[in-house]
Amino acid sequence: MATNPQIKYTPSPKAGNPGQLSSASETMQSRTAMLRAVYGGTETMRAKDKTFLPQYEKESDTRYNARLASTFALNKLREAVDAASAKPFRTLLQVVNTDLDLDLWVQDIDLQGNHLHIFGHQFFNNSMLDGMCHLLVDHPDTYNMKSLADQKASGARPFMKMYKVDDVAAAYDMYVGGDTKTVHVRIRSQRAERDGFKEVLYNQIRVIEIDPTKTSGIVQLWEQKASSGGSNWDFIEETPLQNMAEVPFVTMYAGEKEADYLARPVFIDLAYKQIEHWISSSDQRSILSAARFPMLACSGVQIDPEDEKQFAIGPYKVLYAPEANGRWYYVEPRGTAIESGSKDLDKLEMQMDMMALNPVTGTHRQYVPQNERDIQETRVHSVVHDMAINCQDALEQAIRFMGQWTGKDYSQVKVILNTEFSNTKDRLAEVAQLVKMWEERGLSRKALLTEVRNRNLLGDDFNLDDEVAFWAAVDQANMQAADGMLPGRWTQADPAKEPAGGGTSPGAPAGTAPTPANSNANGTGTAPKTFDFPNGQTRPKKQI
């Protein structure tokens, strides 16, 4: 690896505060704290109390707590994130150009029993919520093993770890030789140590860094007691990191990338709109609680103080007015404010649907023409499609790092996610057109089956090569049947083949002359006869 004289590598010290957040991490973690609380719904939003639901001036704590307890979230953020992340994983993730080792690793990609499909779905879901998510391709320590045989005997192999935004204290990239490499990462975690029947928690920081002028680096481990109140960190150990030109750290961005490890999440505006809906719905419910019931009033009536203490409304109660002109009556609000609040909530919910990347449909709130729904669907599919491509690239890069750990070249490995998001009706219409092209010999069977598979109309266990081979054998059997003067059928294996017995084969050009049944293979004369009867007879001898 060529040395860049402009790069100066300074190893991390063994004293100080490794938990110090980078500026990008500070910004991202303030955003994700809000996003995670909103994504959690009613329970986590209530836990934020005055952060999301302000207490009004002169509102008592008792009244505020009652209002908070009667407020419920319409969780459009969770609906949007989960719906968007499900689209690329509607069908089983495929990995092509693999080898036997990678095929086994894919079945348990994180050494926690998760298939790469499940692991990738979680990775994509966290990226869509937080704006980014990280993968670290790790490997058990083997630096103290004597040989490669010892490593294989130990069962050590690379695996993937997923880290959310909150788990990464800092990460730094460096441009080396025209390429971007991750050279320093600090990852936060926690471990528990049992002390009798008690449990002692320790915060941990792993510092992983590479010397960009070499292919080696270090991994440091730091710890502090979780109950220490942020006291100094203790340096535990440092191990070497060999044969890696960069930190095997992969980040997927889902949103507008503002800088390295800083992105504006795609659904952050929806989260703010959900908080606005949370406040408005709280006000509306509070108004309804105070105004939806009529209030009993009286005029011209003087109630004795002793009677007032026992005064009650209900069945078997008698209301009387000592004064001749006294009367009892109910007072009801006109409801203008209630109606305005209801309209405001409807408007907010419609805006939330738009921000949730849900295609606009006709609802009780509005009617949307078909062409506008199609435009919105296209916008939605474009956004999720681009995110799916980003996820594919991130998983492929992580697989290449797995190859680097083991000295293998996985540069040709491809990860394929579902990127076909059209509805079933449209897909069936497209397949009908493809079938018509196939029938008219404008498309091969393999191309037809490939397109049908790409539209997710075939099962995950469908094997294109096996299917093509099967139908090739069927075509061959049909052609042999036609050669044997038995009823045949048109096949695409040999479009020039005609069914025996004359006539034009299905799909043949109009005006094609029928092929005589006694023509030879070239169609120029009579096929030579064969005689299977005794004494050269051309027909059986009459018996009667």
Side-chain angles (χ1 to χ4, degrees):
M1 180 177 176
T3 301
N4 188 336
Q6 297 180 350
I7 297 175
K8 182 180 179 180
Y9 170 65
T10 303
S12 292
K14 297 180 181 179
N17 179 15
Q20 179 69 40
L21 296 180
S22 67
S23 58
S25 293
E26 284 184 351
T27 302
M28 287 303 301
Q29 292 191 20
S30 65
R31 290 174 175 175
T32 55
M34 182 271 292
L35 286 162
R36 289 280 169 180
V38 175
Y39 183 79
T42 300
E43 183 179 6
T44 51
M45 292 186 75
R46 282 181 183 171
K48 290 289 185 179
D49 50 61
K50 298 179 179 64
T51 302
F52 291 160
L53 189 65
Q55 184 174 6
Y56 295 124
E57 186 179 357
K58 296 183 180 180
E59 183 180 24
S60 67
D61 290 341
T62 302
R63 178 71 195 111
Y64 172 80
N65 291 332
R67 183 161 64 92
L68 180 65
S70 63
T71 304
F72 299 89
L74 178 64
N75 202 338
K76 285 291 184 179
L77 179 63
R78 178 179 287 273
E79 176 186 322
V81 172
D82 292 353
S85 63
K87 290 178 182 292
F89 294 89
R90 187 174 62 181
T91 57
L92 184 65
L93 171 149
Q94 298 180 30
V95 184
V96 298
N97 302 329
T98 65
D99 60 15
L100 292 178
D101 284 339
L102 185 55
D103 287 339
L104 289 175
W105 298 347
V106 164
Q107 303 300 317
D108 183 10
I109 199 67
D110 58 354
L111 294 183
Q112 302 293 320
N114 290 316
H115 188 281
L116 181 60
H117 178 90
I118 302 299
F119 184 86
H121 192 175
Q122 295 171 353
F123 176 58
F124 190 86
N125 186 276
N126 282 287
S127 299
M128 293 297 286
L129 174 58
D130 293 336
M132 67 170 69
C133 192
H134 312 285
L135 294 181
L136 177 70
V137 182
D138 205 350
H139 195 288
D141 290 335
T142 58
Y143 72 95
N144 56 351
M145 296 184 182
K146 297 180 180 180
S147 65
L148 180 61
D150 291 342
Q151 294 182 21
K152 290 183 177 180
S154 70
R157 58 94 159 176
F159 58 97
M160 296 185 191
K161 287 183 177 179
M162 181 175 63
Y163 292 102
K164 302 175 184 177
V165 169
D166 291 350
D167 298 327
V168 179
Y172 298 97
D173 289 348
M174 186 173 287
Y175 297 91
V176 182
D179 192 14
T180 303
K181 298 181 183 297
T182 303
V183 296
H184 180 98
V185 176
R186 297 200 298 273
I187 297 174
R188 304 195 296 188
S189 60
Q190 196 173 68
R191 72 175 181 89
E193 185 176 283
R194 202 182 70 180
D195 181 13
F197 293 115
K198 296 180 180 180
E199 187 178 73
V200 180
L201 296 178
Y202 289 88
N203 297 325
Q204 291 185 322
I205 290 284
R206 279 183 171 80
V207 180
I208 309 171
E209 64 181 19
I210 289 286
D211 182 348
T213 63
K214 303 176 183 178
T215 57
S216 62
I218 59 171
V219 179
Q220 294 181 344
L221 176 62
W222 299 69
E223 280 190 353
Q224 70 171 189
K225 276 191 175 183
S227 59
S228 65
S231 65
N232 293 334
W233 290 82
D234 297 324
F235 177 81
I236 305 300
E237 64 177 0
E238 180 177 290
T239 56
L241 182 62
Q242 301 290 341
N243 302 321
M244 299 298 287
E246 59 182 303
V247 178
F249 190 72
V250 182
T251 300
M252 174 186 166
Y253 294 92
E256 180 185 355
K257 182 179 178 181
E258 299 173 336
D260 289 344
Y261 303 102
L262 181 61
R264 189 175 188 277
V266 67
F267 289 121
I268 190 169
D269 288 333
L270 174 59
Y272 284 121
K273 188 61 67 173
Q274 185 165 319
I275 295 173
E276 183 182 358
H277 185 276
W278 170 262
I279 296 172
S280 182
S281 64
S282 177
D283 291 342
Q284 181 71 359
R285 186 170 294 274
S286 181
I287 292 172
L288 288 174
S289 298
R292 80 168 106 193
F293 300 107
M295 295 174 289
L296 184 63
C298 61
S299 63
V301 176
Q302 184 175 359
I303 300 177
D304 186 81
E306 294 298 325
D307 292 339
E308 186 176 1
K309 295 178 182 179
Q310 302 176 2
F311 189 77
I313 301 296
Y316 312 109
K317 300 293 182 182
V318 177
L319 297 179
Y320 61 94
E323 302 295 333
N325 296 326
R327 64 189 184 94
W328 298 91
Y329 58 94
Y330 280 99
V331 177
E332 295 187 68
R334 298 182 62 88
T336 304
I338 299 175
E339 183 180 1
S340 298
S342 178
K343 289 181 178 179
D344 179 61
L345 288 174
D346 284 344
K347 181 180 178 181
L348 287 173
E349 289 168 16
M350 184 183 69
Q351 292 171 344
M352 291 165 72
D353 283 337
M354 295 287 291
M355 292 180 178
L357 296 180
N358 286 338
V360 179
T361 56
T363 67
H364 65 281
R365 293 188 293 269
Q366 64 169 3
Y367 169 76
V368 180
Q370 179 64 44
N371 61 341
E372 185 173 340
R373 292 201 298 270
D374 292 341
I375 293 172
Q376 291 295 335
E377 252 188 339
T378 301
R379 178 181 69 92
V380 170
H381 295 162
S382 297
V383 172
V384 182
H385 178 274
D386 292 348
M387 296 300 105
I389 298 299
N390 288 346
C391 187
Q392 288 181 169
D393 293 343
L395 294 176
E396 288 171 2
Q397 185 179 355
I399 288 174
R400 287 195 291 272
F401 281 135
M402 296 181 80
Q404 290 183 30
W405 274 116
T406 53
K408 295 184 177 183
D409 181 11
Y410 284 151
S411 59
Q412 301 304 312
V413 173
K414 299 295 180 185
V415 176
I416 302 175
L417 299 178
N418 169 49
T419 54
E420 176 56 56
F421 304 139
S422 57
N423 58 51
T424 303
K425 180 180 178 181
D426 292 340
R427 282 182 284 149
L428 291 176
E430 292 171 0
V431 169
Q433 293 295 321
L434 293 170
V435 171
K436 184 177 180 181
M437 293 174 64
W438 175 77
E439 290 175 343
E440 295 177 353
R441 299 177 180 174
L443 199 66
S444 70
R445 174 180 285 124
K446 184 174 183 179
L448 171 65
L449 292 174
T450 299
E451 291 299 323
V452 175
R453 182 189 61 184
N454 291 343
R455 284 159 177 77
N456 301 318
L457 295 176
L458 299 171
D460 291 335
D461 58 349
F462 174 78
N463 187 293
L464 178 62
D465 294 334
D466 291 347
E467 193 73 10
V468 170
F470 169 78
W471 283 107
V474 172
D475 290 342
Q476 184 65 27
N478 284 329
M479 288 189 292
Q480 290 174 354
D483 287 339
M485 309 296 288
L486 297 175
R489 66 184 291 274
W490 167 79
T491 72
Q492 280 212 345
D494 184 2
K497 180 65 65 177
E498 298 288 350
T504 302
S505 62
T512 303
T515 304
N518 61 349
S519 294
N520 62 14
N522 297 324
T524 58
T526 304
K529 296 181 179 179
T530 58
F531 303 101
D532 297 329
F533 302 106
N535 303 322
Q537 296 174 180
T538 59
R539 61 179 59 84
K541 184 177 180 180
K542 292 180 64 175
Q543 302 297 317
I544 299 176

